[in-house]
Amino acid sequence: MFENLSERLSGVFDRLTKQGALSEEDVKTALREVRVALLEADVSLPVARDFVKRVQDQATGQAVTRSVTPGQQVVKIVHDALVDTLTGSEDPGALKIDNPPAPILMVGLQGSGKTTTTAKLAKRLKDREGKRVLMASLDVNRPAAMEQLEILGRQIGVDTLPIVKGEDPVTIAKRAKTQAGLGGYDVYMLDTAGRLHIDQELIAQAAAVRDVANPRETLLVVDGLTGQDAVNVATEFDDKIGVSGVVLTRMDGDGRGGAALSMRAVTGKPIRFVGLGEKMDAIETFEPERIAGRILG
Ligand code: GDP
């Protein structure tokens, strides 16, 4: 997930830890390299700049340069700053699903992994929390997407709302709500249509569905491999529809993981889950300690 960034950082830190005594200048040089590595991983410029400044303020204090293991001290400061950047006040994995049937709205661009993530989360809710979940696809323009959700549902043992041809997304959302109530479901998940780009129609449709469903959670699924673009997409979705969290997919790929670091600082929205593969169990809650560990290799 962070192969390139990890490699770059371990190069910088290896040199630092081998060096023994460190001058403030040594630390500054190392942190300049950290900044470049962050930017190459597609972390947004202000986030990279703030991050390095924060580390620099702490690392150029006397405690570090006078310590017996100054290099290791710097690594620890970087680790703690990473955790701090990634941590918010909420519990990422705790979905608001009290008051059944609780609606969860899934939004995102086509190909981001939205349908896969809908099924992964449904499975998780069923397996870990014993919830009864109903999934519904609202992608009326792509019958294949509706069928895909049905197939995944059968595979993981989660019900899907029967497909009725010719219905519009708002009607399907209303039917899902009724069905979820009558059927005694704890949660119903609405997998909205995606498009290749954010356009007027996509937003209007998602907003109309949001207004009838009144979701407890609106989760935006974005492709983690797209770096800064993922953050831009999140900013736009949040402005136009309002999201309660982000799921970063394809974090198993060896792309630039910068979105993970920039997302909260730029959009103010937490990353709640990360997708780590195509399999139905390949999803984890977003855990700052674990992510920082992966970044530092
Ligand atoms: P949608 O158009 O947004 O609904 O995207 P899909 O859910 O159909 O996913 C598109 C492709 O990405 C499928 O082949 C998925 O198996 C794959 N995919 C989804 N999430 C992940 C992930 O976290 N890692 C990897 N490697 N592939 C994923």
Side-chain angles (χ1 to χ4, degrees):
M1 139 181 2
F2 300 106
E3 281 81 355
N4 296 333
L5 179 57
S6 290
E7 228 166 80
R8 290 287 300 265
L9 293 181
S10 55
V12 177
F13 295 141
D14 276 354
R15 256 170 282 144
L16 267 192
T17 34
K18 280 199 192 107
Q19 222 168 315
L22 289 184
S23 68
E24 294 210 350
E25 206 43 50
D26 294 332
V27 175
K28 275 194 183 143
T29 308
L31 290 180
R32 265 198 293 275
E33 289 173 49
V34 169
R35 181 166 177 268
V36 173
L38 290 174
L39 293 176
E40 281 180 5
D42 224 8
V43 174
S44 87
L45 179 61
V47 174
R49 203 188 275 147
D50 285 357
F51 180 83
V52 167
K53 185 172 182 318
R54 186 190 321 187
V55 173
Q56 192 145 334
D57 288 347
Q58 293 178 39
T60 46
Q62 300 212 338
V64 171
T65 39
R66 283 199 184 158
S67 136
V68 241
T69 52
Q72 278 161 25
Q73 293 278 354
V74 176
V75 178
K76 180 169 185 326
I77 293 170
V78 169
H79 171 271
D80 293 350
L82 280 174
V83 172
D84 212 46
T85 306
L86 296 167
T87 304
S89 53
E90 71 295 308
D91 175 359
L95 293 170
K96 292 194 189 71
I97 46 167
D98 42 334
N99 264 344
I104 299 181
L105 187 64
M106 304 294 293
V107 297
L109 294 180
Q110 189 175 316
S112 59
K114 188 162 36 61
T115 300
T116 310
T117 303
T118 303
K120 283 176 177 176
L121 287 177
K123 180 171 192 298
R124 207 182 147 91
L125 287 171
K126 172 176 83 90
D127 293 350
R128 299 200 177 199
E129 300 186 37
K131 299 293 181 194
R132 288 196 66 216
V133 183
L134 177 69
M135 307 188 291
S137 171
L138 311 188
D139 201 345
V140 294
N141 298 322
R142 291 196 310 146
M146 300 184 104
E147 282 159 25
Q148 186 196 346
L149 190 69
E150 208 170 50
I151 292 166
L152 291 175
R154 272 202 295 274
Q155 195 181 314
I156 59 175
V158 169
D159 293 340
T160 47
L161 188 73
I163 298 171
V164 175
K165 289 210 173 84
E167 273 184 350
D168 63 80
V170 166
T171 309
I172 302 174
K174 286 181 181 159
R175 190 157 57 86
K177 185 177 188 172
T178 309
Q179 177 68 31
L182 292 174
Y185 290 91
D186 299 301
V187 178
Y188 64 102
M189 304 185 70
L190 302 173
D191 181 15
T192 60
R195 283 165 183 270
L196 294 175
H197 303 286
I198 301 175
D199 61 26
Q200 213 56 52
E201 207 181 326
L202 168 83
I203 296 293
Q205 201 177 83
V209 170
R210 174 201 63 199
D211 293 344
V212 297
N214 204 5
R216 301 298 316 280
E217 298 275 5
T218 300
L219 299 178
L220 171 69
V221 180
V222 287
D223 181 345
L225 290 185
T226 60
Q228 188 57 38
D229 268 352
V231 179
N232 296 338
V233 166
T235 305
E236 210 168 333
F237 265 95
D238 189 40
D239 283 352
K240 305 228 160 94
I241 302 172
V243 305
S244 57
V246 175
V247 182
L248 267 192
T249 61
R250 300 214 175 79
M251 295 303 276
D252 48 312
D254 57 358
R256 301 178 293 175
L261 275 168
S262 299
M263 190 61 77
R264 175 192 303 279
V266 177
T267 66
K269 296 294 163 178
I271 300 172
R272 308 283 294 270
F273 297 92
V274 290
L276 293 163
E278 304 203 22
K279 298 228 170 74
M280 286 294 107
D281 286 322
I283 191 160
E284 281 178 3
T285 52
F286 184 74
E287 288 183 20
E289 279 284 347
R290 198 184 293 169
I291 300 283
R294 281 184 183 151
I295 291 174
L296 292 176

